[in-house]
Amino acid sequence: MIPREHIATANVPDGPELRLMKHGSDFIIALERTDLMNTRMSGSEEALATMTVDRLGGRDGPDGLGARVKALNILIGGYGMGFTLRAALGVLGADDSLTVAELLPEIIEWARGPMVDVTAGCLDDPRVMLVMEDVGVMIEGARGGYDAILLDVDNGPESLVMRENELLYSRRGLKQAWTALAPGGILAVWSAFKDPAFTKQLRETGFKVDEVTVRARSNGKGARHVIWFAQKAV
């Protein structure tokens, strides 16, 4: 049996430590005894990006007959292991732009250090702007500037790492996301679990909601995760 190797630790403000572990060729980010993410399971995080861009028209127009009228401006909340960012870069065009908001500097240090091969240069793509900031602050300060906001923060609406993350999924947080989105924009939220109360809150905020179940692995296997695609009216 191959033992896990403790590579590094990240200090979460007012929360437990995050640990970067290595098991053979796989990397794992763990919170105490819970594995938050690992390099073997990226399917649902990738779907967060690809399914959102598809709903926005992909590289072509929504009818598939021509180029989009304008470039997309997308905000990603939480870098994690970069699954969502790399997937988004793979389906976006050269004129589109991505802002990644990451609160913990250690996460980026890991990406540029022991996980550099996994990162595959995505943080250095000219379409990417990395901001070391709470994504909630980015959302609060925006006014119709984003075509999509992709949130893979904590464990979803039920916070696990930081209690403050619950604010993102509160009524106030959802109203701020609504304001930050352009007409027709999409708030896409990843979660490890279903949450009927959150679905209701999205609808009460005014979003048109599509709740999709996706598998954890890109091969269609693994645990079932949930993505909410909440679209603002045009």
Coordinates of all heavy atoms in Angstrom, one line a residue, residues 71-125:
A71 N -17.4 39.3 -26.7 CA -16.6 38.4 -25.9 C -17.2 38.2 -24.6 O -17.9 39.0 -24.0 CB -15.2 38.9 -25.8
L72 N -16.9 37.0 -24.0 CA -17.4 36.7 -22.6 C -16.5 37.1 -21.5 O -15.2 37.1 -21.7 CB -17.7 35.2 -22.5 CG -18.7 34.6 -23.4 CD1 -18.8 33.1 -23.2 CD2 -20.1 35.2 -23.2
N73 N -17.0 37.6 -20.4 CA -16.3 38.0 -19.3 C -16.8 37.1 -18.1 O -17.9 37.2 -17.7 CB -16.4 39.5 -19.0 CG -15.6 39.9 -17.8 OD1 -14.6 39.3 -17.5 ND2 -16.0 41.0 -17.1
I74 N -15.9 36.2 -17.6 CA -16.3 35.2 -16.6 C -15.5 35.3 -15.4 O -14.3 35.5 -15.4 CB -16.2 33.8 -17.2 CG1 -17.2 33.6 -18.4 CG2 -16.5 32.7 -16.2 CD1 -17.1 32.3 -19.1
L75 N -16.2 35.2 -14.2 CA -15.6 35.2 -12.9 C -15.6 33.8 -12.3 O -16.7 33.2 -12.3 CB -16.3 36.2 -12.0 CG -15.9 36.2 -10.5 CD1 -14.4 36.6 -10.4 CD2 -16.8 37.1 -9.7
I76 N -14.5 33.3 -11.9 CA -14.4 32.0 -11.2 C -14.1 32.2 -9.8 O -13.1 32.8 -9.4 CB -13.4 31.0 -11.9 CG1 -13.8 30.7 -13.3 CG2 -13.3 29.7 -11.1 CD1 -12.8 29.8 -14.0
G77 N -14.9 31.7 -8.9 CA -14.7 31.8 -7.5 C -14.1 30.6 -6.9 O -14.7 29.5 -6.9
G78 N -12.8 30.7 -6.5 CA -12.0 29.6 -6.0 C -11.2 28.9 -7.1 O -11.8 28.4 -8.1
Y79 N -9.9 28.8 -7.0 CA -9.0 28.1 -7.9 C -9.0 26.6 -7.7 O -9.1 25.8 -8.6 CB -7.6 28.7 -7.9 CG -6.7 27.9 -8.8 CD1 -6.6 28.1 -10.2 CD2 -5.8 26.9 -8.3 CE1 -5.8 27.4 -11.0 CE2 -5.0 26.1 -9.1 CZ -5.0 26.4 -10.4 OH -4.2 25.6 -11.3
G80 N -8.9 26.2 -6.4 CA -8.9 24.8 -6.1 C -7.7 24.1 -6.7 O -6.5 24.5 -6.4
M81 N -7.9 23.2 -7.6 CA -6.9 22.5 -8.4 C -6.9 23.0 -9.8 O -6.2 22.4 -10.7 CB -7.0 21.0 -8.3 CG -6.6 20.5 -6.9 SD -6.6 18.7 -6.9 CE -5.8 18.3 -5.3
G82 N -7.7 24.0 -10.1 CA -7.7 24.5 -11.5 C -8.5 23.8 -12.5 O -8.5 24.1 -13.7
F83 N -9.3 22.8 -12.0 CA -10.1 22.0 -13.0 C -11.1 22.9 -13.8 O -11.1 22.8 -15.0 CB -10.9 20.9 -12.3 CG -10.1 19.9 -11.5 CD1 -10.5 19.6 -10.2 CD2 -9.0 19.3 -12.0 CE1 -9.8 18.7 -9.5 CE2 -8.3 18.4 -11.3 CZ -8.6 18.1 -10.0
T84 N -11.8 23.8 -13.1 CA -12.8 24.6 -13.8 C -12.1 25.6 -14.7 O -12.6 25.8 -15.8 CB -13.6 25.3 -12.7 OG1 -14.3 24.4 -11.9 CG2 -14.7 26.2 -13.4
L85 N -11.0 26.2 -14.2 CA -10.3 27.2 -15.1 C -9.8 26.5 -16.3 O -10.0 27.1 -17.4 CB -9.1 27.8 -14.3 CG -8.2 28.7 -15.1 CD1 -9.0 29.9 -15.7 CD2 -7.1 29.2 -14.2
R86 N -9.1 25.4 -16.2 CA -8.6 24.7 -17.4 C -9.7 24.3 -18.4 O -9.5 24.4 -19.6 CB -7.7 23.6 -17.0 CG -6.4 24.0 -16.4 CD -5.4 22.8 -16.2 NE -5.9 21.8 -15.3 CZ -5.8 21.9 -14.0 NH1 -5.2 23.0 -13.4 NH2 -6.2 21.0 -13.2
A87 N -10.8 23.8 -17.9 CA -11.9 23.4 -18.7 C -12.5 24.7 -19.4 O -12.8 24.6 -20.6 CB -13.0 22.7 -17.9
A88 N -12.6 25.8 -18.7 CA -13.1 27.0 -19.3 C -12.2 27.5 -20.5 O -12.7 27.9 -21.6 CB -13.3 28.1 -18.3
L89 N -10.9 27.5 -20.2 CA -10.0 27.9 -21.2 C -10.1 27.1 -22.5 O -9.8 27.5 -23.6 CB -8.5 27.9 -20.7 CG -8.2 29.0 -19.6 CD1 -6.8 28.7 -19.0 CD2 -8.3 30.4 -20.2
G90 N -10.4 25.8 -22.3 CA -10.5 24.9 -23.4 C -11.7 25.1 -24.3 O -11.7 24.7 -25.5
V91 N -12.7 25.8 -23.8 CA -13.9 26.0 -24.6 C -14.2 27.5 -24.9 O -15.1 27.8 -25.7 CB -15.2 25.4 -23.9 CG1 -15.0 23.9 -23.9 CG2 -15.4 26.0 -22.5
L92 N -13.4 28.4 -24.4 CA -13.5 29.8 -24.7 C -12.7 30.2 -25.9 O -11.7 29.6 -26.2 CB -13.2 30.6 -23.4 CG -14.1 30.6 -22.3 CD1 -13.6 31.3 -21.1 CD2 -15.5 31.1 -22.6
G93 N -13.1 31.4 -26.4 CA -12.3 31.9 -27.5 C -11.2 32.8 -27.1 O -11.0 33.1 -25.9
A94 N -10.4 33.3 -28.1 CA -9.2 34.1 -27.8 C -9.6 35.4 -27.3 O -8.8 36.0 -26.6 CB -8.4 34.2 -29.1
D95 N -10.8 36.0 -27.5 CA -11.1 37.3 -27.0 C -11.9 37.3 -25.7 O -12.1 38.3 -25.1 CB -12.0 38.0 -28.1 CG -11.3 38.3 -29.4 OD1 -10.1 38.4 -29.3 OD2 -12.0 38.3 -30.4
D96 N -12.2 36.1 -25.2 CA -12.9 36.0 -23.9 C -11.9 36.2 -22.8 O -10.7 36.0 -22.9 CB -13.5 34.6 -23.8 CG -14.6 34.4 -24.9 OD1 -15.3 35.3 -25.2 OD2 -14.7 33.2 -25.3
S97 N -12.4 36.5 -21.6 CA -11.6 36.8 -20.4 C -12.1 36.1 -19.2 O -13.3 35.9 -19.0 CB -11.4 38.3 -20.2 OG -12.7 38.9 -19.9
L98 N -11.2 35.7 -18.3 CA -11.5 35.0 -17.1 C -10.8 35.7 -15.9 O -9.6 36.0 -16.0 CB -11.0 33.6 -17.1 CG -11.9 32.6 -17.9 CD1 -11.0 31.4 -18.4 CD2 -13.0 32.0 -17.1
T99 N -11.6 36.0 -14.9 CA -11.0 36.4 -13.6 C -11.1 35.3 -12.6 O -12.2 34.8 -12.4 CB -11.7 37.7 -13.1 OG1 -11.6 38.7 -14.1 CG2 -11.1 38.2 -11.8
V100 N -10.0 34.9 -11.9 CA -10.0 33.9 -10.9 C -9.8 34.6 -9.6 O -8.8 35.3 -9.4 CB -8.9 32.9 -11.1 CG1 -9.0 31.8 -10.0 CG2 -9.1 32.2 -12.5
A101 N -10.8 34.5 -8.7 CA -10.6 35.0 -7.3 C -10.3 33.9 -6.3 O -11.1 32.9 -6.2 CB -11.9 35.7 -6.9
E102 N -9.1 34.0 -5.7 CA -8.7 33.0 -4.8 C -8.2 33.7 -3.5 O -7.4 34.6 -3.5 CB -7.5 32.1 -5.3 CG -6.9 31.1 -4.4 CD -7.9 30.2 -3.8 OE1 -8.6 29.5 -4.5 OE2 -8.0 30.2 -2.5
L103 N -8.8 33.2 -2.4 CA -8.5 33.9 -1.1 C -7.2 33.4 -0.5 O -6.5 34.2 0.2 CB -9.7 33.6 -0.1 CG -9.6 34.3 1.2 CD1 -9.6 35.8 1.1 CD2 -10.8 33.8 2.1
L104 N -6.8 32.1 -0.6 CA -5.7 31.6 0.1 C -4.4 31.6 -0.8 O -4.4 30.9 -1.8 CB -6.0 30.1 0.5 CG -7.2 29.9 1.4 CD1 -7.4 28.5 1.7 CD2 -7.0 30.7 2.7
P105 N -3.4 32.3 -0.4 CA -2.2 32.4 -1.3 C -1.5 31.0 -1.4 O -0.9 30.7 -2.4 CB -1.3 33.4 -0.5 CG -1.9 33.5 0.9 CD -3.3 33.2 0.7
E106 N -1.7 30.1 -0.4 CA -1.0 28.8 -0.4 C -1.6 28.0 -1.6 O -0.8 27.2 -2.2 CB -1.3 28.1 0.9 CG -0.6 28.7 2.1 CD -1.5 29.7 2.8 OE1 -2.4 30.1 2.3 OE2 -1.1 30.0 4.0
I107 N -2.8 28.2 -1.9 CA -3.4 27.4 -3.0 C -2.7 27.7 -4.3 O -2.4 26.8 -5.1 CB -4.9 27.7 -3.2 CG1 -5.7 27.2 -2.0 CG2 -5.5 27.1 -4.5 CD1 -5.8 25.7 -1.8
I108 N -2.4 29.0 -4.5 CA -1.6 29.4 -5.7 C -0.2 28.9 -5.7 O 0.4 28.6 -6.7 CB -1.8 30.9 -6.0 CG1 -3.2 31.3 -6.1 CG2 -1.0 31.3 -7.2 CD1 -4.0 30.6 -7.1
E109 N 0.4 29.0 -4.5 CA 1.8 28.5 -4.3 C 1.9 27.0 -4.6 O 2.8 26.6 -5.3 CB 2.2 28.7 -2.8 CG 2.4 30.2 -2.5 CD 2.6 30.4 -1.0 OE1 2.7 29.4 -0.3 OE2 2.6 31.6 -0.6
W110 N 0.8 26.2 -4.2 CA 0.8 24.8 -4.6 C 0.7 24.6 -6.1 O 1.3 23.8 -6.7 CB -0.3 24.1 -3.9 CG -0.3 24.2 -2.4 CD1 0.8 24.5 -1.6 CD2 -1.3 23.8 -1.5 NE1 0.5 24.5 -0.3 CE2 -0.8 24.0 -0.2 CE3 -2.6 23.3 -1.6 CZ2 -1.6 23.8 1.0 CZ3 -3.4 23.1 -0.5 CH2 -2.8 23.3 0.8
A111 N -0.2 25.5 -6.7 CA -0.4 25.4 -8.1 C 0.9 25.6 -8.9 O 1.2 25.0 -9.9 CB -1.5 26.3 -8.6
R112 N 1.7 26.6 -8.4 CA 2.9 27.0 -9.1 C 4.1 26.2 -8.6 O 5.2 26.3 -9.2 CB 3.2 28.5 -9.0 CG 2.1 29.4 -9.6 CD 2.6 30.8 -9.6 NE 1.6 31.7 -10.2 CZ 1.4 31.9 -11.5 NH1 2.1 31.2 -12.4 NH2 0.5 32.8 -11.9
G113 N 3.9 25.4 -7.6 CA 5.0 24.6 -7.0 C 4.9 23.2 -7.3 O 5.1 22.7 -8.4
P114 N 4.5 22.4 -6.2 CA 4.4 20.9 -6.4 C 3.4 20.4 -7.4 O 3.6 19.4 -8.0 CB 4.0 20.4 -5.0 CG 3.5 21.6 -4.3 CD 4.2 22.8 -4.8
M115 N 2.4 21.3 -7.7 CA 1.4 20.8 -8.7 C 1.5 21.5 -10.1 O 0.6 21.6 -10.8 CB 0.0 21.1 -8.1 CG -0.4 20.3 -6.9 SD -2.1 20.6 -6.4 CE -3.0 20.0 -7.8
V116 N 2.7 22.0 -10.3 CA 2.9 22.8 -11.6 C 2.6 22.0 -12.8 O 2.1 22.5 -13.8 CB 4.4 23.3 -11.6 CG1 5.4 22.2 -11.8 CG2 4.5 24.3 -12.8
D117 N 2.8 20.7 -12.8 CA 2.5 19.9 -14.0 C 1.0 19.7 -14.2 O 0.5 19.7 -15.3 CB 3.1 18.5 -13.9 CG 4.6 18.5 -14.0 OD1 5.2 19.5 -14.6 OD2 5.3 17.5 -13.6
V118 N 0.3 19.7 -13.1 CA -1.2 19.6 -13.1 C -1.7 21.0 -13.6 O -2.7 21.1 -14.4 CB -1.8 19.3 -11.7 CG1 -3.3 19.3 -11.8 CG2 -1.3 17.9 -11.3
T119 N -1.1 22.1 -13.1 CA -1.6 23.4 -13.5 C -1.5 23.7 -15.0 O -2.3 24.3 -15.6 CB -0.7 24.4 -12.7 OG1 -0.9 24.2 -11.3 CG2 -1.2 25.9 -13.0
A120 N -0.4 23.1 -15.6 CA -0.3 23.2 -17.0 C -0.3 24.6 -17.6 O -0.8 24.8 -18.7 CB -1.3 22.3 -17.7
G121 N 0.2 25.5 -16.8 CA 0.3 26.9 -17.4 C -1.0 27.7 -17.4 O -1.0 28.8 -18.0
C122 N -2.1 27.2 -16.9 CA -3.3 27.9 -17.0 C -3.4 29.2 -16.4 O -4.0 30.2 -16.9 CB -4.5 27.0 -16.5 SG -4.5 26.7 -14.7
L123 N -2.6 29.4 -15.3 CA -2.6 30.7 -14.6 C -1.9 31.8 -15.4 O -2.0 33.0 -15.2 CB -2.0 30.6 -13.2 CG -2.9 29.9 -12.2 CD1 -2.1 29.6 -10.9 CD2 -4.2 30.7 -11.9
D124 N -1.1 31.3 -16.4 CA -0.3 32.3 -17.2 C -0.9 32.5 -18.6 O -0.3 33.2 -19.4 CB 1.1 31.7 -17.4 CG 1.9 31.5 -16.1 OD1 1.8 32.5 -15.2 OD2 2.5 30.5 -15.9
D125 N -2.1 32.0 -18.8 CA -2.8 32.2 -20.0 C -3.2 33.7 -20.1 O -3.6 34.3 -19.1 CB -4.1 31.3 -20.1 CG -4.7 31.4 -21.4 OD1 -5.3 32.4 -21.8 OD2 -4.8 30.3 -22.1

